[in-house]
Structures are given as structure tokens and as C-alpha cells.
């Protein structure tokens, strides 16, 4: 049996945001043991250089200190010829409040393995043991542990459920796929299709836990049944961090780390479902769907992950886009939202895709491939240059679903395609080839459907949304977001005026020379303050022009800007009450699953 890699982790100085980690291996590589830390975390496609947070690092063997050398930003080497067991000891600075890294203070600790566990090269497939120790100086603070990492049953010092102690993973890949929360979180537990689920909420909050459970349970059960029982995990944990203002989620094989605004959680006595709570349920549904789609059904490019550099795939439209389609669809299918709510969410997605001209320049396949430098590194020009593989990918999923249903008279749907992916790839561990989805769509819907999907994915033409929604009794009309004229910009309010965040291609602001970052201080000789810019424009008509004064690099500049009619780029979806019996049945099957 291969000897385990043995880690300990302890919050040694919570106030200084420092974890201390030790890593022990019994048989170091005689040629010189190598260790490294990932440069990115699966699910978040950006190079993040986690190694920058390693503050100190030392190694010893047989009571002697070893010389450690580095060969690049995240790789450490021990000298050749070391025969005794080696212990590495290092500190990790953890002060990034996000779902992607690690965060520690005197109130709680959170970490992803990618931020704290160095990989011992050559031992990736060995069992990995982790002793999680109580925080130094806070031993009596009543902290508990929430994680989907397995307790090391039968081992010395094995952790009790939610307790400090020994945990275990089968290999390094598994070790870094179970984030850990420690602190005084509130906990709710429930069963979904017989699988134990838990929700741990950190941060001050007044969440109505029974209501949250009442909503989450049917969402989880709906998804387990969609792919087919049994569920692929023994248990599942939602790790929620509630803050004043925040939003984010990251998927893992048996858990998810979520960041949300505490105001979005339901509170005792809350009657109607708030938009924020609906969005939070959508986020939970999204990350949960990834348990199948991307954590087990994976692009071939991720089998295995190479975490030292970018992992390129043109398929994120299927893994993020299809997941985005199902996150809201499952809300209506599980009875959590109404048809009207669903159409509102769908129109929001359509509007996001149409808010810039980027969709005419970049396909969702390209957007996937370039996620590392474009989607994850957005700037002021992004609406003019890129399209989101999340939002457009979810509309591609919608179209494919509707066409499969319509062409087969309701016999087949996207659900069949997801189940085929699960059977052939999720359950076997075989990655999906870059053109695998076209072939599968052709197999389920016919050659023409495969080719059509490829066009939607690799092309930049407008999606035929009106045509396909109409066949399901939903009308789509385009209207202007506001009757007031505009100048083709998106602005943010700053103390000194109105700052231009984006200048849209083809708009009058761009033609007149206004740029992102300019701070507008006057319009037609009147001071522009927070909130009055749109009102000033609303009193004018398209075709007029406005004299706009703005600061750029502290220099006052004047621009003559023609006012333009607001573009008809806002989708209005309506449920057509009277439709044919066929459309009625199709619509019912689509939304009821
Ligand atoms: Zn996602």
C-alpha cells in the first residue's frame, strides 16, 4: 500500500490571518522531492497564483534542516539523496473573502485545498490524511467544521462529524475538491432522495432555516431524479458565507462554497419570495447541477486537470451555459417559482446577451477558450468585444431543448442529452471531446440538429429565439429600456459626478469622443449630480444634441453629443394564453420536466 501524505492544518494566528500547515511524507523522491501549489482552482478559469500567499516555508528530515530551492513561482525542490521521512512546515496568509481562496480571522476560517495543500509530486495518487486542529488561542470558542471531506474512519484521531480531527481523501485531486469551513456557523440538515444534505451558514444573519430547507430539498431531488438515482455523492454540503454585499459560488464534487448578501436569505415572517432570495435559490441550484455537469461529466481537456497552467477548452458553453439554463428551469420544475417569475429570469438572460455588440464578434466556443484572458478579466470594452458563455450558452441550451422537443413531438429533450452525457462520461470518467456535443445532439435529434448546434455555438449570428419560443406559446418582443433618449453609455455614480463605465460601439458618445473613465459634470450648462443625468436627458428628444462637460485626467473637456433613441434591445416575454393543444402540451412538458 502506498504511504499516505499526511497534512496538519491549524489557524495559528487568526488575527494575523495565518494558517500553519505541515506536510509529512515517509519516502521522499531520492532524486529530490518536488512540491507545488496549483495556479488555479477548477471552476474558476483564471490564473490566480495561490503560491503568493505562502509566507514562510522550511523542511527537515531526521532532525536536520534541509535546503529548499524554488524552480518557478509555485514549485519547491528538496535536495537529492534524502532518505528519512520529510516534514515541510509553512504558513499561508488567508485574507481573501471569496469562494476561491482562503479567509481567516477570529470569527471563522475557510479554505480551499488549492490554497493551502502543497502537492507532493509522485504521491498524487496516495491517500491524503489531514488533521484539522482547533484554532490557536480560540480552543474554547466552540468552533466546528463543515466540509464534505470524509472523516478518517478507523484512523487514530478520526474526527467526529462536524468536529476537529483527522479527515481523509483518496488522492490529491479529491483532497483539493472539498473546501473546509470552521467557526460557529448555523447548521440545517435534510435528506434529498435519501442522501444527507447540510447547509452551514457563516456570518451574522437571520435566515429562516426551515424555509430554506423547504425550498432546497425539492431543488436537489429534482436534479437527482433528472440524472437518475442514486445520486453520485454520499452526502452534500452547502457552505454559505453571508455578508453585507456579495455574490458568488464555486462547485465541488460533494459541496459548494457560496457567498451571498445576508439580505437575500429568507427571514422569519417573509411572505412573498424576494428577487434576492430567488437569485440565491438559483445560485444553489446552479452549483448543485455542477455535481454532475463539470464535476463528473468533464471536458476531455480537464481529464486530468493540469493546475500549473491554463486548461483550454472550447466547451464551457456546455458546462456553464447548460448549467445556467437548468438552474432556473429546475426552480420552476420543482415548484419554487411561477411561470411569470421564470419568464422574468429568462428575459433577464436574453437582455444580458443583447446589451453589447460583443455577441456579434465572439462565439461562445471562442468565449470558452479565451475565458482566462477575456471573460475572467473584463474591462470597460468587454460589452463591445466578448459574449458570456454563461448567458449565451444558456440560450443555446434553451434553443436546443425546444428544438429537440418540437422535432420529436415531445419524445426527446435536452434532459435525454444530459442523461446520455452522465451515462457515457460522468459514470465512466471519460472526458467529453471538443466536438462531442455536436455528435451527441446529432445522435439524439438527427444530423441537422447537430449541425445547427454547431452553428449556434461557433457562429456570431443572432439566435432564433422568437421562432422557437413561439412554438411553445411564449411571445418575444423587443422594446427600448426607456422612452428617454440616450448617448450609448453605461454610467456609475461617483461623488464628483457621473462616471462613464462603458461606451458602447456605434453609439453617439463614442462618435463624439467620450471615453470610459470620463466623469461627466455638466450637461447643457447644468450641473450633473448623482441621479439627475438621466432626468436631464429625459426632457430632450432623439436628434437633439447635448453639450457635455467632463473631466479626463483632471482636464476639463467639452463634447457635442447627439442624443439617440434608446435601442430596442430589451426582451419582453409573454405567456400566450390561447395556443394549440400541441403547443400547450409541449409547454407543459418543457416546464414541468
Ligand atoms: Zn457554474
Amino acid at each position: 500500500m502506498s504511504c499516505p501524505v499526511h497534512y496538519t492544518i491549524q489557524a495559528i494566528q487568526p488575527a494575523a490571518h495565518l494558517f500553519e500547515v505541515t506536510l509529512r511524507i515517509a519516502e521522499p523522491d531520492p532524486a529530490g522531492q518536488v512540491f507545488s501549489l496549483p495556479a488555479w482552482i477548477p471552476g474558476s478559469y483564471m490564473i490566480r497564483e495561490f503560491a503568493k500567499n505562502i509566507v514562510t516555508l522550511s523542511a527537515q528530515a531526521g532532525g536536520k534542516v534541509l535546503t529548499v530551492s524554488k524552480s518557478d513561482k509555485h514549485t519547491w525542490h528538496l535536495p537529492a539523496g534524502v532518505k528519512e521521512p520529510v516534514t515541510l512546515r509553512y504558513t499561508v496568509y488567508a485574507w481573501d473573502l471569496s469562494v476561491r481562496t482562503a479567509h481567516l480571522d477570529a470569527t471563522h476560517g475557510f479554505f480551499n485545498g488549492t490554497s493551502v495543500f502543497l502537492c507532493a509530486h509522485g504521491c498524487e495518487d496516495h491517500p491524503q490524511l489531514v488533521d484539522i486542529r482547533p484554532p490557536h488561542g480560540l480552543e474554547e470558542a466552540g468552533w466546528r467544521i463543515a466540509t464534505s471531506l470524509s472523516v478518517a474512519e478507523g484512523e487514530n484521531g478520526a474526527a467526529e462529524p462536524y468536529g476537529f480531527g483527522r479527515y481523509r481523501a483518496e488522492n490529491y485531486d479529491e483532497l483539493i475538491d472539498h473546501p473546509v469551513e470552521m467557526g460557529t456557523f448555523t447548521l440545517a440538515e435534510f435528506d434529498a432522495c435519501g442522501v444527507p444534505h447540510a447547509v452551514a451558514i457563516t456570518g451574522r444573519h437571520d435566515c429562516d432555516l426551515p424555509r430554506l430547507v423547504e425550498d432546497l430539498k425539492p431543488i436537489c431531488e429534482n436534479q437527482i431524479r433528472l440524472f437518475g438515482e442514486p445520486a453520485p455523492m454520499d452526502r452534500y454540503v452547502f457552505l454559505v458565507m453571508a455578508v453585507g454585499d456579495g455574490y458568488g459560488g464555486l462547485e465541488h464534487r460533494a459541496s459548494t462554497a457560496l457567498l451571498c448578501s445576508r439580505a437575500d436569505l429568507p427571514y422569519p415572517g417573509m411572505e412573498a419570495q424576494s428577487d434576492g432570495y430567488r437569485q440565491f435559490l438559483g445560485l444553489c441550484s446552479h452549483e448543485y447541477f455542477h455535481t454532475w455537469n463539470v464535476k463528473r461529466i468533464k471536458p476531455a481537456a480537464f481529464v486530468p486537470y493540469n493546475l500549473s497552467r491554463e486548461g483550454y477548452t472550447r466547451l464551457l458553453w456546455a458546462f456553464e451555459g447548460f448549467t445556467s439554463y437548468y438552474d432556473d428551469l429546475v426552480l420552476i420544475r420543482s415548484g419554487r417559482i411561477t411561470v411569470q417569475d421564470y419568464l422574468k429570469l429568462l428575459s433577464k438572460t436574453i437582455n444580458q446577451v443583447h446589451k453589447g455588440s460583443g455577441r456579434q464578434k465572439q462565439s461562445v466556443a471562442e468565449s470558452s477558450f479565451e475565458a482566462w484572458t477575456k471573460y475572467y478579466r473584463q474591462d470597460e470594452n468587454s460589452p463591445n468585444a466578448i459574449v458570456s458563455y454563461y448567458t449565451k450558452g444558456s440560450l443555446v441550451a434553451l434553443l436546443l431543448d425546444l428544438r429537440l422537443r418540437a422535432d420529436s413531438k415531445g419524445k426527446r429533450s435536452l434532459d435525454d442529452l444530459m442523461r446520455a452525457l452522465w451515462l457515457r462520461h460522468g459514470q465512466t470518467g471519460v472526458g467529453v471531446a471538443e466536438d462531442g456535443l455536436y455528435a451527441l445532439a446529432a445522435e439524439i435529434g438527427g444530423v441537422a440538429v447537430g449541425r445547427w448546434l454547431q452553428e449556434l455555438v461557433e457562429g456570431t449570428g443572432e439566435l432564433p429565439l422568437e421562432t422557437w419560443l413561439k412554438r411553445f406559446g411564449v411571445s418575444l418582443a423587443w422594446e427600448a429600456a426607456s422612452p428617454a433618449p440616450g448617448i450609448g453609455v453605461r454610467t456609475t455614480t461617483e461623488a464628483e459626478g457621473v462616471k462613464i463605465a462603458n461606451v458602447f460601439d456605434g453609439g453617439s458618445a463614442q462618435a463624439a469622443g467620450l471615453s470610459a473613465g470620463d466623469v461627466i459634470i455638466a450637461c447643457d450648462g447644468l450641473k450633473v449630480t448623482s441621479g439627475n443625468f438621466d432626468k436631464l436627458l429625459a426632457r430632450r428628444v432623439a436628434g437633439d444634441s447635448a453639450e457635455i462637460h467632463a473631466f479626463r485626467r483632471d482636464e476639463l473637456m467639452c463634447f457635442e453629443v447627439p442624443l439617440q433613441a434608446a435601442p430596442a434591445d430589451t426582451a419582453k416575454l409573454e405567456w400566450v394564453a390561447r395556443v394549440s393543444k400541441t403547443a400547450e402540451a409541449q409547454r407543459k412538458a418543457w416546464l414541468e420536466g
Side-chain angles (χ1 to χ4, degrees):
M1 190 186 135
S2 46
C3 19
V5 180
H6 194 156
Y7 300 85
T8 66
I9 181 163
Q10 183 181 25
I12 46 159
Q13 281 181 265
H17 321 301
L18 287 177
F19 283 109
E20 183 183 71
V21 184
T22 66
L23 188 176
R24 199 164 70 243
I25 49 172
E27 294 165 5
D29 182 350
Q33 179 63 45
V34 181
F35 300 95
S36 66
L37 199 64
W40 59 282
I41 181 167
S44 184
Y45 305 107
M46 183 168 149
I47 297 296
R48 295 191 187 271
E49 324 285 23
F50 299 123
K52 73 181 179 190
N53 291 315
I54 305 280
V55 182
T56 59
L57 183 145
S58 61
Q60 57 116 337
K64 280 200 286 283
V65 174
L66 301 173
T67 310
V68 186
S69 58
K70 278 188 91 169
S71 57
D72 65 27
K73 60 191 177 187
H74 51 219
T75 312
W76 291 260
H77 298 253
L78 298 186
V82 177
K83 293 193 179 68
E84 293 96 342
V86 164
T87 302
L88 223 58
R89 183 178 295 272
Y90 53 95
T91 49
V92 185
Y93 180 68
W95 194 235
D96 175 31
L97 189 58
S98 84
V99 296
R100 304 176 293 255
T101 48
H103 189 256
L104 171 67
D105 64 14
T107 67
H108 92 120
F110 170 80
F111 64 80
N112 282 288
T114 38
S115 283
V116 297
F117 296 134
L118 260 61
C119 172
H121 288 210
C123 305
E124 293 89 342
D125 295 326
H126 298 197
Q128 319 268 319
L129 301 176
V130 184
D131 292 342
I132 307 178
R133 301 198 168 143
H136 184 71
L138 294 166
E139 291 83 355
E140 307 304 317
W143 283 24
R144 293 190 289 173
I145 301 280
T147 181
S148 51
L149 202 56
S150 300
V151 299
E153 264 176 66
E155 287 265 353
N156 233 348
E160 295 289 321
Y162 303 111
F164 287 92
R166 186 163 298 176
Y167 289 80
R168 178 195 159 96
E170 283 312 305
N171 50 48
Y172 184 76
D173 187 45
E174 185 193 327
L175 174 70
I176 58 171
D177 203 14
H178 297 284
V180 173
E181 171 67 30
M182 52 180 88
T184 54
F185 46 81
T186 45
L187 191 64
E189 295 180 306
F190 63 95
D191 262 28
C193 298
V195 177
H197 285 58
V199 189
I201 309 180
T202 299
R204 284 184 204 169
H205 66 87
D206 57 358
C207 181
D208 180 350
L209 288 170
R211 174 155 182 181
L212 181 59
V213 165
E214 192 185 301
D215 285 326
L216 278 182
K217 184 182 162 86
I219 290 170
C220 297
E221 289 184 335
N222 188 282
Q223 295 192 16
I224 293 171
R225 290 186 185 123
L226 169 69
F227 286 98
E229 291 187 66
M233 62 296 191
D234 298 332
R235 55 190 286 262
Y236 190 90
V237 187
F238 291 90
L239 299 173
V240 184
M241 176 79 188
V243 296
D245 185 25
Y247 181 79
L250 194 59
E251 66 276 11
H252 299 281
R253 67 184 65 186
S255 62
T256 176
L258 306 170
L259 187 71
C260 75
S261 164
R262 63 174 62 87
D264 290 347
L265 295 171
Y267 54 89
M270 180 173 103
E271 284 176 18
Q273 188 180 60
S274 65
D275 287 351
Y277 181 43
R278 195 173 305 127
Q279 188 187 37
F280 178 72
L281 289 177
L283 179 65
C284 294
S285 174
H286 180 96
E287 305 306 344
Y288 196 78
F289 197 82
H290 276 314
T291 309
W292 293 266
N293 198 31
V294 96
K295 294 313 307 188
R296 288 175 176 82
I297 306 164
K298 293 179 182 182
F302 291 171
V303 185
Y305 292 113
N306 178 347
L307 297 177
S308 68
R309 48 157 292 171
E310 293 86 347
Y312 293 104
T313 173
R314 293 165 65 86
L315 287 178
L316 296 182
W317 57 270
F319 290 95
E320 288 301 345
F322 282 28
T323 301
S324 297
Y325 171 59
Y326 275 103
D327 60 24
D328 289 339
L329 189 62
V330 165
L331 295 188
I332 183 166
R333 284 184 175 178
S334 61
R336 299 304 102 195
I337 62 172
T338 65
V339 168
Q340 290 315 317
D341 294 333
Y342 182 67
L343 294 185
K344 218 162 98 182
L345 292 170
L346 192 54
S347 59
K348 192 172 152 197
T349 306
I350 296 173
N351 295 340
Q352 283 167 339
V353 174
H354 287 80
K355 82 176 169 224
S357 57
R359 72 185 188 284
Q360 295 159 349
K361 295 160 195 156
Q362 191 192 43
S363 69
V364 282
E366 291 164 336
S367 175
S368 302
F369 193 82
E370 297 172 329
W372 305 85
T373 48
K374 294 190 174 176
Y375 185 79
Y376 268 91
R377 292 199 180 165
Q378 296 194 27
D379 60 22
E380 70 287 346
N381 195 45
S382 294
N384 297 324
I386 69 168
V387 71
S388 160
Y389 50 79
Y390 282 86
T391 49
K392 189 175 170 187
S394 89
L395 298 183
V396 168
L398 166 74
L399 286 172
L400 182 57
D401 195 12
L402 298 183
R403 178 155 180 188
L404 288 173
R405 287 172 185 280
D407 285 4
S408 68
K409 299 197 166 44
K411 286 196 189 70
R412 283 179 291 278
S413 74
L414 194 62
D415 298 353
D416 296 299
L417 186 138
M418 294 314 301
R419 283 190 282 265
L421 284 171
W422 172 233
L423 216 66
R424 295 179 198 181
H425 298 280
Q427 295 192 350
T428 61
V430 176
V432 180
E434 292 288 287
D435 58 359
L437 268 299
Y438 309 144
L440 192 53
E443 196 184 310
I444 294 172
V447 178
V449 172
R451 234 180 275 132
W452 183 68
L453 176 64
Q454 186 166 2
E455 269 166 41
L456 300 182
V457 167
E458 296 182 8
T460 53
E462 299 294 359
L463 297 174
L465 293 164
E466 291 90 334
T467 314
W468 289 95
L469 282 168
K470 197 172 161 197
R471 295 183 64 168
F472 286 74
V474 177
S475 71
L476 165 59
W478 295 100
E479 50 188 37
S482 137
I487 59 172
V489 295
R490 190 179 71 81
T491 59
T492 57
T493 301
E494 305 284 319
E496 68 270 41
V498 166
K499 190 172 180 175
I500 299 180
N502 309 101
V503 175
F504 295 111
D505 270 356
S508 61
Q510 189 183 59
L514 277 162
S515 291
D518 290 352
V519 177
I520 299 174
I521 56 158
C523 177
D524 287 331
L526 290 173
K527 182 174 175 174
V528 167
T529 57
S530 60
N532 80 345
F533 185 50
D534 290 341
K535 286 182 194 147
L536 288 172
L537 296 182
R539 301 176 72 90
R540 311 288 300 277
V541 293
D544 284 0
S545 70
E547 187 186 57
I548 288 181
H549 281 88
F551 277 117
R552 180 184 305 170
R553 303 185 300 269
D554 293 344
E555 295 175 15
L556 184 62
M557 300 184 182
C558 183
F559 304 87
E560 195 66 28
V561 189
L563 301 182
Q564 58 187 92
D569 59 0
T570 304
K572 191 170 179 214
L573 293 179
E574 268 179 20
W575 191 248
V576 181
R578 308 188 65 170
V579 291
S580 69
K581 272 211 173 102
T582 322
E584 182 60 54
Q586 291 270 34
R587 184 160 78 175
K588 199 167 142 67
W590 165 40
L591 297 178
E592 290 180 7

